[in-house]
Amino acid sequence: MNFNFDPESSRFQFVKHRYKYFLVSAVLIGLGLVIIAVLGLNLGVDFESGSTLEILIQGQPFTTEDVQAVFAELGLEPGDIRLIGNNNEIAEVRFIGTLDQEEINRVREAFAERFGEIDINESTVSPLVARELANQAVYGILLASLAVIIYVAIRFEYRFGIAAIIALFHDALFIVAVFALLRLEVDLTFIAAVLTIVGYSINDTIVIFDRLRENMKFAKLKRVEDLEQLVNRSIVENLPRTLNTSITVVFAALALYLLGGEGIRNFSFALLIGLLAGTYSSIFIAAQLWFEWKKRELKKKMFQPQNA
């Protein structure tokens, strides 16, 4: 398939069909909000108080069912069990709610009796710490967004900053909705993935805005059609760069997802979803939002009475 990226003759009309793109995003965001409201998020131990046990079992193979059987005998119900390590020699078991020392000792004795030599590392997040972590995660995302707005407003203009932040929230919400739908665990690695996507997506958007700003220096914007052509040209000129960088980063994230192990699987999956959403918003949403805003300003100037 041969794509024409020449802005003069390209058939890509990213601004002309902007309302279709807005509608797609509005429907997806609406569905995402409904999913989050109905299903909620599957918060991990990082944001719900609880205990995590890493049980290193040596000498014989075991399965998730074996681990579940031991906890069933103890009358304990883990929230999540994952086997990690090159040979699945470690069972990571998470509990919503903290385990006291007596319960941990019972777990240690039960596993030692069944599997022989074992080692257990225990970590507990109290309700207070969980609440602080959740607050800090929200503050981190909000501060990152505020820093983006301030920088873009200073470096470009405030309309670019607002449009970029709307596109970023579109990306972040999409990731959250997918995690809510698939009931994937939301923990600190998830927050790290969202902040990574915020940084990546704004980079893509800024490149398009920068080209837009450069093209504006040589453009004579007398009609709305001139502005539409300017925005479309700027997007088309950056389209090969945006697609090439996104595809290569997706390959890296995909390799991380397939080969990175269970411990960072949710992180790499969030990256993959965020990369797709970020690429979409950079091409189809951000510059078009700026166009809608700028168009109103241009129309005001067009109909403004001229002083003699």
Side-chain angles (χ1 to χ4, degrees):
M1 187 178 294
N2 183 27
F3 292 108
N4 179 11
F5 293 121
D6 181 359
E8 300 296 337
S9 58
S10 174
R11 292 183 178 180
F12 294 117
Q13 295 297 326
F14 295 105
V15 181
K16 180 180 180 182
H17 302 293
R18 62 191 179 281
Y19 294 121
K20 297 177 184 176
Y21 310 140
F22 292 161
L23 179 62
V24 170
S25 289
V27 170
L28 291 176
I29 289 174
L31 288 174
L33 291 174
V34 170
I35 291 170
I36 294 170
V38 173
L39 299 179
L41 294 175
N42 179 22
L43 296 177
V45 174
D46 295 333
F47 300 122
E48 293 271 7
S49 62
S51 297
T52 300
L53 302 180
E54 285 188 358
I55 306 171
L56 174 61
I57 305 174
Q58 297 176 341
Q60 57 177 299
F62 64 98
T63 64
T64 301
E65 288 73 22
D66 294 330
V67 177
Q68 285 175 329
V70 174
F71 283 109
E73 292 173 2
L74 295 171
L76 298 175
E77 186 177 353
D80 183 37
I81 298 176
R82 291 191 299 177
L83 301 183
I84 57 180
N86 293 332
N87 298 310
N88 289 341
E89 70 274 15
I90 300 174
E92 185 183 74
V93 187
R94 298 187 176 193
F95 292 87
I96 302 299
T98 58
L99 298 179
D100 57 32
Q101 193 57 49
E102 183 181 347
E103 288 173 319
I104 294 173
N105 290 338
R106 287 173 54 210
V107 171
R108 189 185 304 278
E109 292 170 3
F111 272 90
E113 182 179 342
R114 178 141 183 186
F115 296 102
E117 185 180 357
I118 66 160
D119 188 20
I120 294 182
N121 293 319
E122 177 262 340
S123 60
T124 297
V125 177
S126 67
L128 178 60
V129 173
R131 192 161 51 249
E132 286 182 355
L133 287 174
N135 290 338
Q136 287 174 357
V138 173
Y139 293 152
I141 293 175
L142 292 179
L143 283 175
S145 302
L146 182 62
V148 168
I149 290 180
I150 293 173
Y151 175 77
V152 175
I154 294 174
R155 189 70 179 80
F156 296 87
E157 62 173 80
Y158 71 96
R159 296 182 189 85
F160 283 127
I162 300 296
I165 287 301
I166 293 174
L168 288 182
F169 275 108
H170 165 280
D171 305 339
L173 184 61
F174 197 71
I175 303 173
V176 174
V178 170
F179 266 62
L181 178 64
L182 300 180
R183 310 307 299 154
L184 296 174
E185 187 176 274
V186 174
D187 53 15
L188 286 179
T189 61
F190 171 83
I191 300 300
V194 171
L195 288 174
T196 303
I197 289 302
V198 167
Y200 176 83
S201 184
I202 192 65
N203 180 55
D204 251 1
T205 304
I206 286 293
V207 170
I208 293 176
F209 284 169
D210 191 52
R211 179 58 60 92
L212 190 51
R213 186 184 58 170
E214 288 296 318
N215 288 338
M216 282 179 67
K217 295 178 181 176
F218 308 100
K220 296 180 180 178
L221 303 177
K222 297 181 179 179
R223 304 171 302 158
V224 173
E225 289 75 12
D226 298 333
L227 184 62
E228 178 177 332
Q229 188 178 14
L230 172 73
V231 176
N232 202 68
R233 178 190 178 92
S234 301
I235 297 174
V236 172
E237 286 177 348
N238 275 288
L239 198 56
R241 181 263 179 203
T242 301
L243 292 178
N244 288 333
T245 53
S246 297
I247 290 172
T248 51
V249 177
V250 164
F251 285 154
L254 189 61
L256 197 63
Y257 176 76
L258 295 175
L259 306 173
E262 193 64 32
I264 57 172
R265 185 139 298 163
N266 281 358
F267 172 80
S268 49
F269 182 71
L271 277 186
L272 276 173
I273 299 300
L275 285 170
L276 296 176
T279 303
Y280 172 80
S281 67
S282 296
I283 297 174
F284 297 101
I285 301 296
Q288 287 84 343
L289 287 173
W290 178 86
F291 168 79
E292 281 295 320
W293 206 339
K294 195 73 176 178
K295 182 180 73 175
R296 289 181 174 81
E297 181 184 306
L298 183 62
K299 282 184 176 179
K300 284 183 181 176
K301 288 183 179 178
M302 288 169 59
F303 294 106
Q304 202 170 34
Q306 301 294 320
N307 295 326

